[in-house]
Amino acid sequence: STFAVSFRMPFVSALFVLDHDVPTEEPVTFHFLAKFYPENAEEELVQEITQHLFFLQVKKQILDEKIYCPPEASVLLASYAVQAKYGDYDPNVHKRGFLAQEELLPKRVINLYQMTPEMWEERITAWYAEHRGRARDEAEMEYLKIAQDLEMYGVNYFAIRNKKGTELLLGVDALGLHIYDPDNRLTPKISFPWNEIRNISYSDKEFTIKPLDKKIDVFKFNSSKLRVNKLILQLCIGNHDLFMRRRKADSLEVQQMKAQAREEKARKQMERQRLAREKQMREEAERTRDELERRLMQLKEEATMANEALMRSEETADLLAEKAQITEEEAKLLAQKAAEAEQEMQRIKATAIRTEEEKRLMEQKVLEAEMLALKMAEESERRAKEADQLKQDLQEARESERRAKQKLLEITSKSSYTSMNSSTTALPTDLPSFNLINESLSFDFKDTDMKRLSMEIEKEKVEYMEKSKHLQEQLNELKTEIEALKLKERETALDILHNENASRGNSKHNTIKKVSEASSLYLA
C-alpha cells in the first residue's frame, strides 16, 4: 500500500539515508510517503497517480490505527475501498464471501462488536452496492474526502515538555500547531492556526511559538532531541507555506496542471459514458435476443401442439370414415333383410291355408314376421340416422383438419419472420531548504493579509459543515444499527473520547476553532 523499494547496502553508501539510523541487514526496505497532507484532497491532488498513492497511504494508516476512525466511518470507507478495487457491484459475480481475504476494517473495530465476518461483509456490501457508476479515482476521492475530516488525519505528533516540565504532545498539521494531553490525541488543549502565528524558532532543545497578537504570551516548550526540533521546524515551514499558497491564486504551472487534469478527467468521463452506452446497447440487444429466442421457442411449442392436434384430427377422421362405411353397409344389409321379410310375408299371405290350425299358426307366423319386419325397419332407420351423423362428424373433422393446417401455415410464416428479425438484431460488432547552519534557527511568517485569511477560513468551515450534514446522517444510521452488538468493555480510550466529542456535537474543525479562541484567552 506504499511505495517500497529495496536496495542492497553496497549501493546506498552515497545516499543521504546513511545520515540516519539505517539497519545493517540486507535488503533494506524504504517506504516513500507523503510528508505534507492536503487540506482539501479534491482541490489539491491534481494528478490521478498522486491521488491513488495518497489514498493507499491514508488507507494503510487507518487500518494500522495510526489514524483513529470510528466504526461507522470505517464501514463507509471500506465500501469505497471495495468500489475502487472491484468496480460496480454485480450480485452474480460478487457473491457471499468475496471479501473474506480482504483487510478492510481496523482490528480495533472488528474486536469491538459481536459480529461475524459475514455480518461485516453484509454491511459493507450494502453500501458498496450504492456506489454503482463511480470509477476508481472517484471512489478513492470520496474515501479521502471522508478521511480528511478525521481528527488524527495528517497530524505529526511529538513528545514535548512545557516550562513546568509537564509532558505534552505537539501536533503539526496543515491547519496549524496543536497541544495535546498524552492520553488524548483527538482533542487539542491549545491550538495555534497558521494565520495566527507570527514566528516559530528554536534554540538547542527549546522551541518558541510567537502569536501574531502581541498581547498573547509566547509559548515555549522543550523537546527531547535537537534533531526533533529541526524536523518540527521543517514541518512548520512546509505546512505554513502550503497554507498560504492555498489561499492565493494558483501559479501558471499549477493552473496548467489543473487544466490538463480537467481535460483528462473530461476525456475519461466521455469514455466511461461511451462504454456505458455500449454496455446498455449490448444489454438491450441481449434482452431482445433472449425475448426473440423465448418467442421462437413458444412458436415452436405451438407448432408442435398444432401438428399433434392435426395428427389427432386426421386419425379421428379416418376412424369416423371407416365407422361410417361399416354402418352404411350394415344399413344396406338390414334393408335387404327387411325386403326379404316383406316378400316372405306376402308369400305366406298368398298361400292358401286349409285348416283352422294351420290358419292360426300361419297368423301367428305372419304376426311374428310383421314384428320382425317392423324391428328391422326401425333398426334400418336407426342405422341410417347413425350413418348420417357419422357423415356429419366426418365433415366436421375434415373442417377441423383444414383449420389446423391453416394455423400451422400461419405459425410457420411467423417463425420465418421471427428468425429473420433475430438474425437482423445481431450484436454490434464495433461495441466495444532550508539549510540548517546554526543550532539556533528562526522562521518569520509575513503579517500581510492575515485578517483576510481568517475570514476566508471561517467561510470555508461553514461550507464544510453544510457538506458533511448528509454524510453524518448516514453514519449515525449505521451507528444506531450496530450499537446493540457493541462490547462496551473492549472500548479503547480513543473510542471513549470520540464518543464524548460526538455527544457534545464536536467535530474536527469546530473543535479547533473553539480551542483556538480559548487558547487566545488563556495565553493573553
Side-chain angles (χ1 to χ4, degrees), residues 348 353 356-370:
I348 292 172
I353 303 173
E356 192 66 29
E357 183 66 25
E358 289 178 348
K359 185 178 179 180
R360 186 183 62 79
L361 291 174
M362 192 60 66
E363 288 177 353
Q364 185 177 357
K365 287 183 179 180
V366 169
L367 183 60
E368 289 176 354
E370 288 178 352

Side-chain angles (χ1 to χ4, degrees), residues 112-152:
L112 188 57
Y113 293 88
Q114 288 180 309
M115 294 175 63
T116 63
E118 291 76 17
M119 294 169 70
W120 285 117
E121 180 180 310
E122 181 182 348
R123 280 158 177 80
I124 293 172
T125 304
W127 264 350
Y128 165 43
E130 294 182 7
H131 304 329
R132 172 174 291 277
R134 293 187 186 274
R136 187 191 76 171
D137 57 323
E138 293 174 333
E140 291 177 349
M141 182 52 68
E142 291 300 320
Y143 187 104
L144 292 175
K145 284 161 67 175
I146 296 170
Q148 70 188 7
D149 289 333
L150 299 175
E151 292 92 333
M152 293 174 64

Side-chain angles (χ1 to χ4, degrees), residues 258-388:
K258 287 187 175 181
Q260 291 175 356
R262 284 194 297 270
E263 291 174 1
E264 181 66 15
K265 189 173 182 180
R267 186 189 66 78
K268 289 184 177 181
Q269 183 66 23
M270 291 178 63
E271 180 67 14
R272 284 196 290 267
Q273 291 175 354
R274 184 184 67 81
L275 292 174
R277 287 195 300 271
E278 290 180 358
K279 183 179 179 182
Q280 184 179 2
M281 291 172 62
R282 189 181 300 109
E283 290 174 349
E284 290 177 356
E286 289 175 353
R287 283 196 297 270
T288 303
R289 181 195 63 194
D290 294 341
E291 177 62 24
L292 289 173
E293 289 178 351
R294 187 191 64 78
R295 181 61 181 156
L296 183 60
M297 290 298 296
Q298 183 179 352
L299 289 172
K300 285 182 178 179
E301 291 176 1
E302 291 179 1
T304 302
M305 293 172 64
N307 272 326
E308 292 175 354
L310 178 61
M311 291 176 65
R312 287 195 299 271
S313 297
E314 290 176 348
E315 292 173 357
T316 303
D318 292 342
L319 289 172
L320 288 173
E322 185 179 351
K323 190 173 182 180
Q325 185 178 359
I326 294 171
T327 305
E328 190 175 353
E329 290 175 356
E330 289 179 351
K332 288 180 180 179
L333 184 60
L334 287 172
Q336 183 180 354
K337 288 182 178 180
E340 291 175 354
E342 182 68 23
Q343 291 176 0
E344 180 68 17
M345 184 182 66
Q346 293 296 331
R347 187 183 63 80
I348 292 172
K349 284 182 178 181
T351 303
I353 303 173
R354 302 215 176 256
T355 64
E356 192 66 29
E357 183 66 25
E358 289 178 348
K359 185 178 179 180
R360 186 183 62 79
L361 291 174
M362 192 60 66
E363 288 177 353
Q364 185 177 357
K365 287 183 179 180
V366 169
L367 183 60
E368 289 176 354
E370 288 178 352
M371 291 296 293
L372 180 61
L374 182 61
K375 286 181 179 180
M376 286 185 177
E378 290 176 354
E379 181 68 15
S380 176
E381 185 179 356
R382 188 183 67 78
R383 291 288 183 173
K385 289 181 179 180
E386 186 176 347
D388 292 340

